[in-house]
DNA sequence: GTCACGGGAATTGGATCCAATCTAGCAGAT
DNA sequence: ATCTGCTAGATTGGATCCAATTCCCGTGAC
C-alpha cells in the first residue's frame, strides 16, 4: 500500500476515484474502456485491473460482456453503509482509545487542525482528504488492519456525497466544531463519549446526504 | 453474481479459490502467472483480473513488479476475522429473524439437513459448501446486501481452515448438533438465543483453527 | 402502430508480444 | 570470508491485435 506508485494501474485507480468523486463520472454512467483509457493515456489492460478493485469495493458494478457502470447509491444502500459504519467505527474507537499515547493524541489534533485550515480556505477537496486522514488516524490506531480496510471500503462508497456535503459553509463549520468536541473527549480518554460524538457526527452527514439523494432521484 | 459463468476470469476465479481451499496453493506461495495460466488453459489476462478480486478480499497479497502471493493468515488476523464476524453476524441475525416466514424457516431447516447429510457421507467439500449456504441463508435474509458481502469476504478469508476443521469426525458431529440447537431457537424466533448459539458455534471453530495454525507455524 | 427479426457497428473478453523490473548468481575487491 | 557491483534469466506490466458478444437500428410482416 505504502509502496511508491509506479504502475499504471495504480495511477488509473487514483484517477478513477477522483473522477467519480468529482462527478466527472456520474452514477449510472457506463465506463467505456476505450475512451477512458485514451483519456488517461494508458491501454485498457491497467484500466480493467483498476476497475476490478473498484468493483470489489462496490464503486462500480460489472456485467459480463456489457461492461462496468458507476454504481448508483440508493437510499437503502446509503443507510446500510452508515449503519455498518456505526457498528464498526464504535469497535475501532473502543479498541483504539486505550492504546493512544499523548503524542498520538497530539498527532490526531494536528490532523484536526489541518481539516479546519482547509475549511477556512474553502478548499473542499483538501478538506475531504484531511477529514479522512483525521478519522482514520483514530481507526487505524486500533491495530486491526482488516477493520481498517472494511471501513475504507465503506467510506469510499460515499466519497462522492461527502465532497458535496463539504460544499456547504454551514456543514463545514459544524464539522470543525464537532471535531473539536471529539478532541476533548479523546484527551480525556473517554471512549464512550467519543463513540457517542462520532455517532452524532455521522448522523448529521447522513441526513445531509440523504437530502441530496432525495432531490436527485425523487 | 447469479449470471451464468461464461467468462474465463470467472472460471479462473473459481479455480483459484478451489486451489487455495484445497491447499493446492499454500499460504506464502508465489503465484507464477505464466504457469498457472497454462494450467488453467487461459492467458495471463483473465488470471490477473481474478487475482485482483482475490487481492481485495485479502486472499492474496500483491507487490508491484514482484507478483501475487497466497496470503498467510496470522493468528492475529484470524482472531480479527472472527471478532468482526461476531459483530456483523449478530447484526445480521437480529435484522433477519423478525422478517422470516415459516416457509423461510423451513427452507433454512432443509439446508441444515443438507449439511448433516454431507457430514454423514463424510463428504468434506460438500459439507463446506452446504454449511456456507445454511449460514448465509440466515444472513442474506436480513436484506442488507452490503453486510452480506462483507461477511462473505470474512468467511472466504478462512475458507482454507474451515475445510480442515470439517476433516475431524468430532467436529462434524458437533456442528450438526449445534445447527439443530440453532434451528430450535430460530423456530422460536428467539434472535438473542440464536446470536448466543452462533457465538458459541463460532468460538468452537476459532479454537480448532487456532490450534491448527499454531502447529503449522509455531 | 407494434412487434419480430436480421445485420452491422460498437464494445468487451482474451491472446500474444514487447518493455520494464526484479532476482539470483558470479566476479572481484577489500 | 564478506560485501559490492554487475550481468543474465525469470517474471511481471502494459500495448496491441483479434475474437466473441451485445446493442442499436432499420426493415418488413401483421
Amino acid at each position: 500500500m505504502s509502496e511508491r506508485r509506479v504502475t499504471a494501474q495504480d495511477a488509473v485507480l487514483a484517477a478513477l476515484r477522483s473522477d467519480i468523486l468529482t462527478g466527472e463520472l456520474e452514477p449510472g454512467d457506463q465506463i467505456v474502456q476505450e475512451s477512458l483509457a485514451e483519456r488517461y493515456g494508458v491501454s485498457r489492460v491497467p484500466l480493467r485491473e483498476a476497475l476490478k478493485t473498484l468493483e470489489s469495493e462496490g464503486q462500480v458494478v460489472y456485467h459480463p460482456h456489457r461492461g462496468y457502470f458507476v454504481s448508483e447509491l440508493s437510499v437503502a444502500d446509503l443507510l446500510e453503509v452508515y449503519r455498518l459504519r456505526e457498528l464498526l467505527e464504535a469497535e475501532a474507537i473502543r479498541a483504539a482509545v486505550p492504546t493512544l499515547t499523548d503524542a498520538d493524541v497530539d498527532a490526531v489534533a494536528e490532523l484536526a487542525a489541518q481539516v479546519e485550515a482547509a475549511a477556512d480556505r474553502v478548499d473542499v477537496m483538501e478538506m475531504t482528504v484531511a477529514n479522512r486522514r483525521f478519522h482514520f488516524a483514530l481507526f487505524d490506531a486500533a491495530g486491526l488492519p482488516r477493520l481498517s480496510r472494511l471501513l475504507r471500503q465503506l467510506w469510499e462508497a460515499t466519497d462522492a456525497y461527502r465532497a458535496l456535503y463539504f460544499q456547504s459553509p454551514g456543514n463545514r463549520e459544524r464539522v470543525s466544531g464537532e471535531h473539536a468536541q471529539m478532541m476533548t473527549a479523546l484527551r480525556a480518554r473517554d471512549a464512550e463519549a467519543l463513540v457517542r460524538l462520532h455517532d452524532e457526527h455521522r448522523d448529521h452527514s447522513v441526513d445531509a446526504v440523504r437530502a441530496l439523494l432525495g432531490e436527485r432521484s425523487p
Side-chain angles (χ1 to χ4, degrees), chain A:
Chain A
M1 280 296 180
S2 70
E3 330 202 9
R4 68 191 191 284
R5 172 171 305 149
V6 276
T7 61
Q9 38 183 313
D10 276 347
V12 167
L13 182 58
L16 276 169
R17 284 196 207 285
S18 161
D19 279 355
I20 291 174
L21 193 138
T22 61
E24 188 74 22
L25 294 171
E26 287 185 41
D29 279 2
Q30 170 158 19
I31 291 176
V32 182
Q33 299 174 8
E34 187 71 43
S35 31
L36 248 194
E38 192 180 6
R39 194 145 82 77
Y40 295 154
V42 297
S43 84
R44 282 172 45 214
V45 175
L47 173 62
R48 274 161 60 179
E49 303 201 57
L51 285 169
K52 265 281 169 281
T53 86
L54 287 180
E55 185 206 357
S56 64
E57 294 173 1
Q59 297 270 78
V60 301
V61 293
Y62 170 65
H63 301 284
H65 295 292
R66 299 200 21 245
Y68 293 88
F69 300 78
V70 181
S71 296
E72 306 203 52
L73 203 54
S74 68
V75 175
D77 192 24
L78 178 78
L79 294 177
E80 188 181 349
V81 168
Y82 279 88
R83 178 175 181 172
L84 294 173
R85 277 186 49 192
E86 180 180 341
L87 211 62
L88 295 175
E89 291 176 2
E91 183 78 0
I93 290 172
R94 291 198 180 98
V97 167
T99 73
L100 289 174
T101 66
D102 288 347
D104 293 334
V105 173
D106 289 341
V108 175
E110 166 58 24
L111 292 171
Q114 288 179 16
V115 178
E116 198 163 350
D120 291 345
R121 290 200 313 277
V122 197
D123 185 343
V124 172
M125 189 62 96
E126 172 58 23
M127 186 175 177
T128 309
V129 174
N131 180 63
R132 198 196 175 89
R133 274 202 299 265
F134 167 70
H135 286 284
F136 276 87
L138 223 59
F139 302 152
D140 290 343
L144 298 169
R146 251 176 212 277
L147 177 53
S148 289
R149 186 156 68 173
L150 294 185
L151 282 174
R152 282 206 166 71
Q153 282 186 24
L154 293 173
W155 275 61
E156 264 149 17
T158 56
D159 256 350
Y161 299 98
R162 194 160 19 258
L164 282 175
Y165 177 69
F166 288 140
Q167 296 281 354
S168 147
N171 288 339
R172 286 200 299 274
E173 200 162 328
R174 169 156 54 200
V175 164
S176 292
E178 289 175 343
H179 283 187
Q181 285 187 286
M182 287 166 53
M183 286 311 304
T184 306
L186 183 55
R187 284 191 206 287
R189 298 294 195 283
D190 186 343
E192 292 314 312
L194 194 54
V195 167
R196 193 163 29 75
L197 288 168
H198 227 93
D199 283 348
E200 291 169 14
H201 188 51
R202 192 170 37 242
D203 285 346
H204 291 153
S205 70
V206 72
D207 287 345
V209 175
R210 200 221 284 251
L212 279 170
L213 259 182
E215 73 194 35
R216 193 184 271 219
S217 54

